Amino acid sequence: MNIGFRSLIAAALAGTALTAFSAFAVDADPKVVGRAAIVQDIVKGRTTVTDERVIKLDDILYFQEQVVTGPKSKAVIEFRDGTTLELGPNGALTIDKMVFDPEGGKKDKAVSISRGLFRLVSGAAAPDSNTTIKTPSGTIGIRGSVVAGIVPSDVSQPTVIVGASGNFTATNGSGTTSFTGGQAVSFGGAQQGAPGTTSAGAALGVVNQVNGSLGNTPPNLPPASPGTQQTLAAANTVPASQQTQTQQPTSTLPTPAPTGPVTLSQATQTGLQTNSSTPQQQQQLSNYAQQSQQVNDQRQQQATQNVVQGLSTVMNPTQLANSVNNIAAGNPRQGQTAQNASGLSQQQLAQASTQAALPPALQAAVNSGNAQQIQQAIQVLSGGNPQRAAVLAQQVVTRAEQILATNPQAAVNAAAAALQVVANLPVQTTAPSETLQTTVIAARIFVNPAAQRVAPETVANGAASAARIVSNPTVYQTSPQAAIQVMANAYGTVSSPGITATNPNAQATVAQVLSQAAQANGLNSANQTNSAQIQQILGQQAVTFTQRSADQQQGATGALNPSETPLRSELNSFQASPT
């Protein structure tokens, strides 16, 4: 987690909540997969052969991290989507993938369990969702809620998986078998052929063994610390394509030798051998499935609440509304929970839903990165209606942020085109909220190093334009803290080495805009800390246009003198904002 310039701004503001600056308080790391929610005894983790660590409560876990438990150890991993995975003693697993993009409606999770007793309970939903558990004997595909199982350390024993709630597939080299809640499969070991369904006796043996080690129900988790919650939430704002691109496997870590055996209980082994079930056993397994569904509903509700509350600290209302709508689409039962946790109205959710899709012509223009075509498409589609133009501009810049990782040049051009639309005074007057949201996203794009590398001149001009737009009192008063965020990102952009090298006057230009904003009566009336906040961004008590002119007359290049700017080093290391 990188706490820097953004945090200093927030901390310097008397009486201003940290969450006002939460959208740029930490840097989003797509390799963050979750946290250690519960740790019992010694649990170790490593991402390379040589970087082993002891995992402590609330520690962040990362892509490709191998988690190993000892003979007295247990661990509960809480993923970014609120899914929990419990691992019993002498276990070993590796987190292969954790892609979760609630705004984009995408979730893709993969874990390799080398050995151990485990139980997985799903978290917040997404319309496009996929979870897989890989074992030495085969792979489990999960389209459901709760699954438990045992992966023995003895390779002669089969892996046994019990579906507690949901629908599942088990696949190995010989074929695929589907099963559902209240059923179990076994595969591998001395067992030949495709995965096969087991008797209720074998399934209950696994259930009793897992419950005896991990508890009859998944444990209640202690809440994440504020810093950990924000780190997880920030990673959830990264587009799925960028998460996938970042989480590319490099090598496979060897599994450490077990410190103790993981074996199937005698009841399970007997159930596998006889492959017969009594009516009583079948009823017990059915009861287990029903209870698991109830537990899952409760845990999903809590997971949804935690995830959305985290997102509310790092997303603007439109992004948050899109995320809530996608969670509800993935699991309608959790729709109300997601809305309550977001604090958004039904009207805001409905508006986000209707604005979600770009018209085809505009979509094509954004993907091409042709700024002129984008502006022309908005002009035609809006029919001269400034409110509609602002909505379209907001859609454009939202799409631009989604393609930033894969096509930064097109993203920058689209963001610049969207800013040109909302730079018009009639648009700002008619649709100040949409104007501000468009500018917030554009400023996030411009502060991204990838954007600065491919189009430094466009980025510099765009940063200055963004600062001017939010200095309009009509726009500013819609959300003063969001406007200050734009100013901070704009100044951070033009203070980066790449921009100052190609456009040395850009920093002075934005500093002038911000200095004037610090003295603007309309802005100071809307936000009593406006002047102090802007001065903190600039890193000095005051920067006036007169002072800037004097500096330039003395031969200044337009860059602030480092001796005048205590936060200069922070600005030069300014990283991309969470989204």
Side-chain angles (χ1 to χ4, degrees):
M1 182 171 64
N2 183 0
I3 305 275
F5 171 65
R6 309 173 182 90
S7 299
L8 291 176
I9 295 176
L13 304 177
T16 300
L18 177 63
T19 53
F21 288 90
S22 58
F24 49 91
V26 297
D27 293 326
D29 184 352
K31 291 190 176 182
V32 167
V33 299
R35 71 173 182 121
I38 292 179
V39 176
Q40 178 177 306
D41 202 61
I42 297 176
V43 177
K44 295 182 179 181
R46 60 177 184 169
T47 53
T48 67
V49 174
T50 59
D51 71 346
E52 185 174 88
R53 62 167 174 157
V54 174
I55 296 174
K56 297 181 176 61
L57 180 67
D58 209 42
D59 276 356
I60 295 295
L61 302 176
Y62 296 91
F63 161 67
Q64 274 200 314
E65 182 152 18
Q66 187 180 72
V67 179
V68 180
T69 56
K72 298 180 181 179
S73 305
K74 300 176 190 176
V76 180
I77 298 170
E78 183 181 24
F79 292 93
R80 287 193 279 113
D81 66 336
T83 293
T84 59
L85 177 58
E86 303 166 67
L87 182 66
N90 299 314
L93 64 80
T94 301
I95 304 167
D96 299 323
K97 182 187 295 185
M98 178 60 226
V99 172
F100 182 47
D101 174 10
E103 186 184 5
K106 173 74 173 179
K107 181 166 70 170
D108 192 0
K109 180 164 53 271
V111 178
S112 293
I113 299 180
S114 302
R115 63 173 180 266
L117 298 87
F118 71 90
R119 180 167 55 206
L120 181 140
V121 182
S122 61
D128 183 1
S129 180
N130 184 50
T131 299
T132 58
I133 295 178
K134 300 176 183 177
T135 77
S137 301
T139 300
I140 307 299
I142 302 172
R143 296 292 298 180
S145 306
V146 182
V147 64
I150 301 177
V151 181
S153 55
D154 183 352
V155 296
S156 67
Q157 291 189 340
T159 292
V160 185
I161 308 294
V162 181
S165 166
N167 296 288
F168 314 90
T169 58
T171 303
N172 63 8
S174 300
T176 298
T177 300
S178 298
F179 61 111
T180 187
Q183 294 181 322
V185 296
S186 64
F187 49 99
Q191 179 177 318
Q192 301 295 317
T197 56
T198 72
S199 66
L204 288 173
V206 171
V207 169
N208 291 334
Q209 195 171 351
V210 169
N211 288 353
S213 177
L214 302 178
N216 289 337
T217 59
N220 293 318
L221 305 183
S225 65
T228 296
Q229 182 194 47
Q230 197 170 47
T231 298
L232 300 177
N236 286 341
T237 65
V238 179
S241 59
Q242 185 177 343
Q243 293 184 46
T244 301
Q245 185 178 25
T246 303
Q247 295 183 23
Q248 293 297 321
T250 54
S251 60
T252 301
L253 290 174
T255 302
T259 52
V262 179
T263 61
L264 299 176
S265 68
Q266 187 59 52
T268 300
Q269 295 184 51
T270 300
L272 291 174
Q273 292 169 358
T274 60
N275 200 29
S276 60
S277 307
T278 67
Q280 183 180 11
Q281 289 173 331
Q282 291 175 341
Q283 184 60 51
Q284 289 176 333
L285 193 57
S286 176
N287 292 341
Y288 167 72
Q290 293 176 11
Q291 293 167 1
S292 296
Q293 181 62 59
Q294 294 174 357
V295 168
N296 177 74
D297 289 344
Q298 296 170 356
R299 298 308 164 93
Q300 271 200 324
Q301 184 175 8
Q302 186 62 57
T304 299
Q305 180 174 317
N306 293 343
V307 168
V308 174
Q309 286 178 344
L311 294 176
S312 68
T313 69
V314 295
M315 284 184 167
N316 64 44
T318 298
Q319 294 174 305
L320 187 59
N322 288 334
S323 299
V324 170
N325 285 333
N326 279 326
I327 290 172
N331 184 351
R333 293 196 303 273
Q334 300 303 328
Q336 190 61 54
T337 298
Q339 180 182 347
N340 292 343
S342 72
L344 298 174
S345 67
Q346 190 61 44
Q347 181 179 3
Q348 288 174 298
L349 298 178
Q351 183 179 14
S353 179
T354 58
Q355 295 176 358
L358 274 175
L362 195 52
Q363 176 80 59
V366 171
N367 291 341
S368 72
N370 189 312
Q372 185 176 3
Q373 288 183 7
I374 293 171
Q375 293 183 46
Q376 289 176 346
I378 291 177
Q379 183 177 6
V380 172
L381 291 167
S382 67
N385 184 322
Q387 174 73 40
R388 177 61 176 159
V391 169
L392 291 169
Q394 183 181 337
Q395 290 179 267
V396 164
V397 79
T398 298
R399 174 58 182 164
E401 192 170 39
Q402 293 171 350
I403 65 173
L404 177 60
T406 56
N407 193 345
Q409 182 70 65
V412 170
N413 291 346
L419 277 189
Q420 286 294 315
V421 173
V422 298
N424 294 320
L425 189 58
V427 174
Q428 296 176 23
T429 303
T430 305
S433 178
E434 289 79 5
T435 295
L436 179 58
Q437 291 176 21
T438 298
T439 311
V440 166
I441 300 172
R444 284 207 303 263
I445 291 174
F446 297 146
V447 81
N448 190 293
Q452 295 173 16
R453 283 193 296 269
V454 299
E457 190 70 23
T458 303
V459 162
N461 292 334
S465 178
R468 292 191 190 96
I469 290 170
V470 297
S471 297
N472 179 344
T474 302
V475 176
Y476 182 96
Q477 66 186 3
T478 300
S479 175
Q481 297 311 320
I484 291 291
Q485 173 190 327
V486 170
M487 294 179 184
N489 278 349
Y491 193 68
T493 297
V494 297
S495 300
S496 66
I499 299 301
T500 56
T502 58
N503 191 337
N505 294 320
Q507 191 180 53
T509 299
V510 175
Q512 174 187 337
V513 174
L514 267 59
S515 297
Q516 293 173 342
Q519 302 170 31
N521 292 333
L523 275 56
N524 289 325
S525 297
N527 174 18
Q528 293 181 353
T529 61
N530 172 69
S531 181
Q533 289 175 286
I534 294 177
Q535 289 168 11
Q536 182 63 23
I537 291 172
L538 295 171
Q540 57 190 46
Q541 290 301 310
V543 178
T544 65
F545 178 64
T546 301
Q547 289 171 324
R548 177 56 48 220
S549 297
D551 288 342
Q552 291 173 339
Q553 290 172 3
Q554 293 173 13
T557 62
L560 293 176
N561 188 322
S563 65
E564 296 177 323
T565 313
L567 294 182
R568 175 71 181 225
S569 61
E570 290 288 349
L571 289 167
N572 283 343
S573 63
F574 194 63
Q575 301 296 316
S577 64
T579 54

